[in-house]
Amino acid sequence: MDSASTPALRPRLAALAARVLPGLPALDVGTDHGLLAGALVAGGTVPRAIASDLRPQPLTRAAATIARLGVEDRVALRCADGLRAIDPGEVATIVIAGIGGQRIVAILEAEPQRRASASRLVLAPQDEVPAVRGWLVGRGYVLVDEALVEDRGRFYVVLAAEPGAGPALTASEREIGPRVLARGGPVLARWLRRELALCARAQAGLGRAAEVDPGRAAALADRRALLQAALAELAAGGHPEAVP
């Protein structure tokens, strides 16, 4: 299918698609509307894809999308739980997006053989991103790419990881991302400012509480200091959007 027929993807899905290994089959776990799998095949990024979901309703929506794009012969729809949608070695890239970090880790932990047979994981946790980064490094993966994306007023993080040995993450790298920090830019500056505002609000709420949780207070203070340092470093590196 030519590029004129390929659906335009919003920034979050585009960031996912850009990190899928080209020329090799891919799995989209929890596909929902099937747009990512359909676009990957329609645009020629991958020769074929598997779009899976645990529920039949999303697969019905995905089937309509795949039919509209005319790629029914190259996108397989499977009703399955997590990585059980594939046989070991069936795909090169596993994409899991749109769910919480804890759930993503549980899906990957549940099927180690299927997980290990893929060359790349592309993950977009809705929360607990630092924990997912830590899990990846702890399971022998290297973060080969990351993206911090702003889409419709919300921020999303996309992680691309491959098996391999790499350095341990610093506190800043675990919290913000080594590739995100290296890339910098205005989106990072806006994200840091938003997170600092959320930290300040949470600290103010603790201050009004009848009983203060010392552990929670310390964690908030540490995170706020880390974010402030990252914003200051961004400003020192010549990014005017990071200057107060």
Side-chain angles (χ1 to χ4, degrees), residues 196-215:
L196 281 166
L198 291 174
C199 275
R201 191 181 309 163
Q203 286 178 313
L206 280 180
R208 292 191 297 269
E211 294 184 10
V212 177
D213 179 349

PDB file of all heavy atoms in Angstrom, residues 196-215:
ATOM      1  N   LEU A 196       7.475  18.917  38.553  1.00  0.00           N
ATOM      2  CA  LEU A 196       7.856  19.719  39.717  1.00  0.00           C
ATOM      3  C   LEU A 196       6.626  20.324  40.381  1.00  0.00           C
ATOM      4  O   LEU A 196       6.527  20.367  41.614  1.00  0.00           O
ATOM      5  CB  LEU A 196       8.843  20.815  39.311  1.00  0.00           C
ATOM      6  CG  LEU A 196      10.290  20.355  39.133  1.00  0.00           C
ATOM      7  CD1 LEU A 196      11.112  21.427  38.412  1.00  0.00           C
ATOM      8  CD2 LEU A 196      10.913  20.033  40.493  1.00  0.00           C
ATOM      9  N   ALA A 197       5.677  20.783  39.578  1.00  0.00           N
ATOM     10  CA  ALA A 197       4.444  21.345  40.129  1.00  0.00           C
ATOM     11  C   ALA A 197       3.651  20.269  40.872  1.00  0.00           C
ATOM     12  O   ALA A 197       3.092  20.523  41.953  1.00  0.00           O
ATOM     13  CB  ALA A 197       3.601  21.954  39.010  1.00  0.00           C
ATOM     14  N   LEU A 198       3.619  19.057  40.325  1.00  0.00           N
ATOM     15  CA  LEU A 198       2.920  17.963  40.991  1.00  0.00           C
ATOM     16  C   LEU A 198       3.603  17.586  42.300  1.00  0.00           C
ATOM     17  O   LEU A 198       2.936  17.290  43.297  1.00  0.00           O
ATOM     18  CB  LEU A 198       2.853  16.745  40.064  1.00  0.00           C
ATOM     19  CG  LEU A 198       1.959  16.884  38.831  1.00  0.00           C
ATOM     20  CD1 LEU A 198       2.108  15.667  37.933  1.00  0.00           C
ATOM     21  CD2 LEU A 198       0.496  17.069  39.234  1.00  0.00           C
ATOM     22  N   CYS A 199       4.935  17.608  42.300  1.00  0.00           N
ATOM     23  CA  CYS A 199       5.684  17.328  43.532  1.00  0.00           C
ATOM     24  C   CYS A 199       5.377  18.367  44.601  1.00  0.00           C
ATOM     25  O   CYS A 199       5.160  18.041  45.773  1.00  0.00           O
ATOM     26  CB  CYS A 199       7.190  17.309  43.241  1.00  0.00           C
ATOM     27  SG  CYS A 199       7.812  15.735  42.658  1.00  0.00           S
ATOM     28  N   ALA A 200       5.384  19.636  44.197  1.00  0.00           N
ATOM     29  CA  ALA A 200       5.119  20.716  45.146  1.00  0.00           C
ATOM     30  C   ALA A 200       3.714  20.592  45.727  1.00  0.00           C
ATOM     31  O   ALA A 200       3.496  20.796  46.928  1.00  0.00           O
ATOM     32  CB  ALA A 200       5.296  22.066  44.458  1.00  0.00           C
ATOM     33  N   ARG A 201       2.759  20.221  44.883  1.00  0.00           N
ATOM     34  CA  ARG A 201       1.380  20.053  45.352  1.00  0.00           C
ATOM     35  C   ARG A 201       1.280  18.894  46.344  1.00  0.00           C
ATOM     36  O   ARG A 201       0.606  18.988  47.370  1.00  0.00           O
ATOM     37  CB  ARG A 201       0.467  19.806  44.148  1.00  0.00           C
ATOM     38  CG  ARG A 201      -1.020  19.886  44.459  1.00  0.00           C
ATOM     39  CD  ARG A 201      -1.837  19.609  43.207  1.00  0.00           C
ATOM     40  NE  ARG A 201      -1.402  20.435  42.093  1.00  0.00           N
ATOM     41  CZ  ARG A 201      -1.707  20.190  40.827  1.00  0.00           C
ATOM     42  NH1 ARG A 201      -2.445  19.137  40.510  1.00  0.00           N
ATOM     43  NH2 ARG A 201      -1.293  20.997  39.868  1.00  0.00           N
ATOM     44  N   ALA A 202       1.984  17.807  46.033  1.00  0.00           N
ATOM     45  CA  ALA A 202       1.956  16.641  46.924  1.00  0.00           C
ATOM     46  C   ALA A 202       2.627  16.966  48.257  1.00  0.00           C
ATOM     47  O   ALA A 202       2.154  16.550  49.327  1.00  0.00           O
ATOM     48  CB  ALA A 202       2.652  15.460  46.259  1.00  0.00           C
ATOM     49  N   GLN A 203       3.720  17.718  48.199  1.00  0.00           N
ATOM     50  CA  GLN A 203       4.399  18.105  49.433  1.00  0.00           C
ATOM     51  C   GLN A 203       3.513  19.015  50.275  1.00  0.00           C
ATOM     52  O   GLN A 203       3.481  18.896  51.504  1.00  0.00           O
ATOM     53  CB  GLN A 203       5.721  18.785  49.106  1.00  0.00           C
ATOM     54  CG  GLN A 203       6.803  17.824  48.631  1.00  0.00           C
ATOM     55  CD  GLN A 203       8.089  18.539  48.269  1.00  0.00           C
ATOM     56  OE1 GLN A 203       8.089  19.548  47.560  1.00  0.00           O
ATOM     57  NE2 GLN A 203       9.213  18.015  48.751  1.00  0.00           N
ATOM     58  N   ALA A 204       2.805  19.923  49.620  1.00  0.00           N
ATOM     59  CA  ALA A 204       1.892  20.804  50.351  1.00  0.00           C
ATOM     60  C   ALA A 204       0.784  19.990  51.017  1.00  0.00           C
ATOM     61  O   ALA A 204       0.382  20.268  52.156  1.00  0.00           O
ATOM     62  CB  ALA A 204       1.299  21.844  49.407  1.00  0.00           C
ATOM     63  N   GLY A 205       0.286  18.969  50.320  1.00  0.00           N
ATOM     64  CA  GLY A 205      -0.738  18.112  50.892  1.00  0.00           C
ATOM     65  C   GLY A 205      -0.239  17.351  52.104  1.00  0.00           C
ATOM     66  O   GLY A 205      -0.953  17.210  53.102  1.00  0.00           O
ATOM     67  N   LEU A 206       1.010  16.896  52.045  1.00  0.00           N
ATOM     68  CA  LEU A 206       1.596  16.216  53.200  1.00  0.00           C
ATOM     69  C   LEU A 206       1.731  17.160  54.384  1.00  0.00           C
ATOM     70  O   LEU A 206       1.530  16.774  55.540  1.00  0.00           O
ATOM     71  CB  LEU A 206       2.974  15.647  52.839  1.00  0.00           C
ATOM     72  CG  LEU A 206       3.022  14.328  52.068  1.00  0.00           C
ATOM     73  CD1 LEU A 206       4.470  13.930  51.812  1.00  0.00           C
ATOM     74  CD2 LEU A 206       2.320  13.216  52.834  1.00  0.00           C
ATOM     75  N   GLY A 207       2.078  18.396  54.069  1.00  0.00           N
ATOM     76  CA  GLY A 207       2.256  19.378  55.137  1.00  0.00           C
ATOM     77  C   GLY A 207       0.969  19.679  55.880  1.00  0.00           C
ATOM     78  O   GLY A 207       1.000  20.057  57.053  1.00  0.00           O
ATOM     79  N   ARG A 208      -0.166  19.484  55.216  1.00  0.00           N
ATOM     80  CA  ARG A 208      -1.459  19.746  55.849  1.00  0.00           C
ATOM     81  C   ARG A 208      -2.021  18.513  56.550  1.00  0.00           C
ATOM     82  O   ARG A 208      -3.023  18.606  57.251  1.00  0.00           O
ATOM     83  CB  ARG A 208      -2.460  20.237  54.792  1.00  0.00           C
ATOM     84  CG  ARG A 208      -2.143  21.614  54.207  1.00  0.00           C
ATOM     85  CD  ARG A 208      -3.301  22.136  53.382  1.00  0.00           C
ATOM     86  NE  ARG A 208      -3.568  21.279  52.227  1.00  0.00           N
ATOM     87  CZ  ARG A 208      -3.018  21.447  51.022  1.00  0.00           C
ATOM     88  NH1 ARG A 208      -2.153  22.441  50.827  1.00  0.00           N
ATOM     89  NH2 ARG A 208      -3.303  20.647  50.023  1.00  0.00           N
ATOM     90  N   ALA A 209      -1.387  17.364  56.332  1.00  0.00           N
ATOM     91  CA  ALA A 209      -1.897  16.124  56.900  1.00  0.00           C
ATOM     92  C   ALA A 209      -1.680  16.086  58.407  1.00  0.00           C
ATOM     93  O   ALA A 209      -0.713  16.648  58.935  1.00  0.00           O
ATOM     94  CB  ALA A 209      -1.210  14.925  56.247  1.00  0.00           C
ATOM     95  N   ALA A 210      -2.593  15.424  59.095  1.00  0.00           N
ATOM     96  CA  ALA A 210      -2.477  15.300  60.554  1.00  0.00           C
ATOM     97  C   ALA A 210      -1.244  14.490  60.930  1.00  0.00           C
ATOM     98  O   ALA A 210      -0.560  14.787  61.908  1.00  0.00           O
ATOM     99  CB  ALA A 210      -3.743  14.654  61.120  1.00  0.00           C
ATOM    100  N   GLU A 211      -0.966  13.452  60.150  1.00  0.00           N
ATOM    101  CA  GLU A 211       0.215  12.628  60.377  1.00  0.00           C
ATOM    102  C   GLU A 211       1.018  12.552  59.085  1.00  0.00           C
ATOM    103  O   GLU A 211       0.477  12.212  58.039  1.00  0.00           O
ATOM    104  CB  GLU A 211      -0.169  11.221  60.830  1.00  0.00           C
ATOM    105  CG  GLU A 211      -0.849  11.171  62.189  1.00  0.00           C
ATOM    106  CD  GLU A 211      -1.120   9.743  62.637  1.00  0.00           C
ATOM    107  OE1 GLU A 211      -0.599   8.816  61.976  1.00  0.00           O
ATOM    108  OE2 GLU A 211      -1.845   9.571  63.625  1.00  0.00           O
ATOM    109  N   VAL A 212       2.293  12.882  59.164  1.00  0.00           N
ATOM    110  CA  VAL A 212       3.148  12.885  57.984  1.00  0.00           C
ATOM    111  C   VAL A 212       3.887  11.559  57.877  1.00  0.00           C
ATOM    112  O   VAL A 212       4.450  11.073  58.859  1.00  0.00           O
ATOM    113  CB  VAL A 212       4.165  14.054  58.050  1.00  0.00           C
ATOM    114  CG1 VAL A 212       5.103  14.002  56.850  1.00  0.00           C
ATOM    115  CG2 VAL A 212       3.432  15.388  58.104  1.00  0.00           C
ATOM    116  N   ASP A 213       3.850  10.993  56.699  1.00  0.00           N
ATOM    117  CA  ASP A 213       4.590   9.767  56.419  1.00  0.00           C
ATOM    118  C   ASP A 213       6.035  10.159  56.091  1.00  0.00           C
ATOM    119  O   ASP A 213       6.287  10.720  55.016  1.00  0.00           O
ATOM    120  CB  ASP A 213       3.947   9.035  55.236  1.00  0.00           C
ATOM    121  CG  ASP A 213       4.669   7.747  54.865  1.00  0.00           C
ATOM    122  OD1 ASP A 213       5.776   7.511  55.364  1.00  0.00           O
ATOM    123  OD2 ASP A 213       4.110   6.978  54.057  1.00  0.00           O
ATOM    124  N   PRO A 214       6.989   9.889  56.968  1.00  0.00           N
ATOM    125  CA  PRO A 214       8.379  10.321  56.727  1.00  0.00           C
ATOM    126  C   PRO A 214       8.964   9.739  55.445  1.00  0.00           C
ATOM    127  O   PRO A 214       9.704  10.436  54.732  1.00  0.00           O
ATOM    128  CB  PRO A 214       9.125   9.798  57.955  1.00  0.00           C
ATOM    129  CG  PRO A 214       8.081   9.590  58.996  1.00  0.00           C
ATOM    130  CD  PRO A 214       6.850   9.203  58.262  1.00  0.00           C
ATOM    131  N   GLY A 215       8.652   8.497  55.147  1.00  0.00           N
ATOM    132  CA  GLY A 215       9.165   7.873  53.939  1.00  0.00           C
ATOM    133  C   GLY A 215       8.655   8.546  52.689  1.00  0.00           C
ATOM    134  O   GLY A 215       9.412   8.800  51.744  1.00  0.00           O
TER     135      GLY A 215
END
